[in-house]
Amino acid sequence: MHYRALALSLLLISLFAGAAQAEISVASWNIRNLGWGEQKDEAAVTAVLSRFDLIAVQEVMEPEAIGRLEQRLESATNEAWGSLASDTIGRGSYKEAYAFLWREKEVSFEGGAAVYLDPGDVFAREPFSAVFADRDDGQQFVYASVHILYGDSKVDRTPEIRALADYWQWLEESFDAPVVLAGDFNMAPDESAWRALGRDARPLITRGATTLSSRDNKFANLYDNIWVRPGQLNITGVEIADFPSWLNISHTQARASVSDHAPVYMLIGNAQLSAATRSNSSGRRQSAGCVDLNTANADQLESVVHIGEARARAVIAGRPWQSLSELRRIRGLGAARVGDIKAQGQICPLP
């Protein structure tokens, strides 16, 4: 019995060690006036978006702009992407749309796209939500996006912030899945207006700032955030993306041609941000030859799909490599991901 129990334990350990786990990066970004005018640098926007697996986008002025970004993302990453946009929403002549973009091999759209009916007619731009799932383990969640009215003061924003508690309850009652509420809230998370929503959810970002100041390359206000019910998702990291540094541009340049808001994002499981694609006129990934697993530095390794900073270190520590299949020794690189690396065709032939 002792040996049978030991064998069973080892089998269970092996099964759980090899089981797929949720592993995606989820972002939210107000891309100011997306679709208006020719001043928007869509190649730079694409370079930022390409780092994430699922992005909620606010302030979409023309939903067609999301289709263009989807095409640019596919060209830049050599991967399939999906997109979903609401109709334009708003009171009077000023209207905006919400949108989602996702990397198809990491995230699946499960349906349930809905604009909130807003029974109290509180929201100027009713929130938009949809159900998504991590393709590795099937973990589903409802992703909701909102752009709170700025108005003239906090008094104008407070009714919509308070109404988010009712919206949260509607989401939980309507969908049998964890809820993630993200967007540009135009109010810091420590204001008293959040008290009602705070009974059910918590903001993931409580320090720092997300709006770009026009002076001294600094950030100003903590307006963008992600709210979740604690304990429902395996969230392992939360950050404000310093995208002007990613693009090597000033805040003044970023505000003029990209956005005056920084993306916020969370990492689920062992997720890492994808390797950056360079911003150029065509939006295509730039590459200088193949990547040698046995000699490449960390930056070169991070240009390979599914290899971020931590896995680049693991590749270097695991040298020498005799075949691509050996990469499965690295945590999080299962057969499917190693297959993606092979399909990308960026690794130099191994001996």
Side-chain angles (χ1 to χ4, degrees):
M1 291 294 293
H2 172 74
Y3 292 108
R4 289 181 180 177
L6 178 60
L8 179 59
S9 297
L10 291 173
L11 175 60
L12 290 174
I13 291 172
S14 175
L15 288 173
F16 281 111
Q21 296 180 348
E23 189 174 290
I24 57 174
S25 55
V26 181
S28 173
W29 194 13
N30 177 334
I31 308 178
R32 184 177 63 177
N33 293 338
L34 180 63
W36 271 6
E38 298 179 355
Q39 78 279 7
K40 183 72 70 180
D41 186 345
E42 290 190 356
V45 172
T46 300
V48 176
L49 292 171
S50 68
R51 291 187 174 229
F52 309 112
D53 298 320
L54 170 63
I55 312 101
V57 181
Q58 301 89 39
E59 206 163 315
V60 180
M61 312 313 296
E62 295 182 358
E64 295 80 6
I66 292 298
R68 293 197 300 272
L69 285 179
E70 179 184 358
Q71 293 175 354
R72 281 186 171 273
L73 282 164
E74 292 188 334
S75 177
T77 63
N78 295 319
E79 296 174 308
W81 283 73
S83 68
L84 173 68
S86 72
D87 293 331
T88 52
I89 302 167
R91 295 172 179 158
S93 59
Y94 181 84
K95 298 180 184 298
E96 299 175 6
Y98 297 104
F100 295 104
L101 288 156
W102 63 93
R103 197 185 309 266
E104 289 279 10
K105 68 182 179 183
E106 303 291 349
V107 176
S108 64
F109 168 55
E110 300 293 304
V115 173
Y116 184 47
L117 292 179
D118 190 14
D121 194 25
V122 179
F123 293 99
R125 298 174 288 258
E126 294 86 352
F128 181 57
S129 64
V131 180
F132 296 93
D134 181 285
R135 285 196 183 274
D136 283 339
D137 74 343
Q139 169 73 67
Q140 292 190 3
F141 59 93
V142 184
Y143 200 12
S145 177
V146 66
H147 185 192
I148 296 298
L149 176 72
Y150 186 79
D152 295 323
S153 68
K154 293 179 183 177
V155 173
D156 296 321
R157 306 163 210 167
T158 296
E160 292 191 0
I161 295 294
R162 288 176 175 166
L164 288 173
D166 291 333
Y167 178 52
W168 182 277
Q169 291 181 5
W170 177 82
L171 289 169
E172 289 198 321
E173 291 170 359
S174 301
F175 302 96
D176 185 21
V179 172
V180 177
L181 174 61
D184 174 7
F185 298 100
N186 278 315
M187 189 175 286
D190 58 356
E191 297 285 347
S192 60
W194 292 103
R195 189 173 296 117
L197 181 61
R199 289 193 286 265
D200 295 311
R202 295 290 184 274
L204 292 182
I205 300 172
T206 57
R207 293 182 295 178
T210 61
T211 61
L212 277 62
S213 171
S214 59
R215 298 184 301 169
D216 302 324
N217 288 341
K218 294 182 179 179
F219 291 88
N221 306 292
L222 180 51
Y223 284 165
D224 305 84
N225 221 314
I226 303 173
W227 286 71
V228 300
R229 184 181 286 277
Q232 288 190 326
L233 294 169
N234 181 24
I235 300 170
T236 55
V238 180
E239 293 289 344
I240 300 169
D242 185 1
F243 80 90
S245 295
W246 292 0
L247 298 172
N248 195 27
I249 60 176
S250 69
H251 280 211
T252 299
Q253 292 172 306
R255 288 168 59 92
S257 62
V258 184
S259 180
D260 58 347
H261 285 251
V264 293
Y265 67 91
M266 65 179 182
L267 302 176
I268 297 178
N270 295 320
Q272 302 177 63
L273 294 189
S274 296
T277 59
R278 298 182 186 178
S279 171
N280 57 62
S281 59
S282 68
R284 294 183 180 275
R285 180 187 294 273
Q286 297 178 347
S287 178
C290 62
V291 176
D292 191 324
L293 288 179
N294 290 316
T295 62
N297 61 31
D299 287 341
Q300 292 168 328
L301 289 168
E302 288 179 36
S303 69
V304 177
V305 62
H306 299 313
I307 296 183
E309 182 179 350
R311 288 178 186 153
R313 292 196 299 267
V315 169
I316 293 171
R319 288 169 176 168
W321 300 93
Q322 301 297 321
S323 68
L324 275 179
S325 62
E326 291 180 347
L327 289 176
R328 295 175 63 181
R329 300 201 306 258
I330 296 176
R331 185 177 181 182
L333 290 184
R337 283 192 164 90
V338 172
D340 291 340
I341 292 172
K342 182 178 180 180
Q344 186 187 28
Q346 197 164 331
I347 299 295
C348 298
L350 290 164

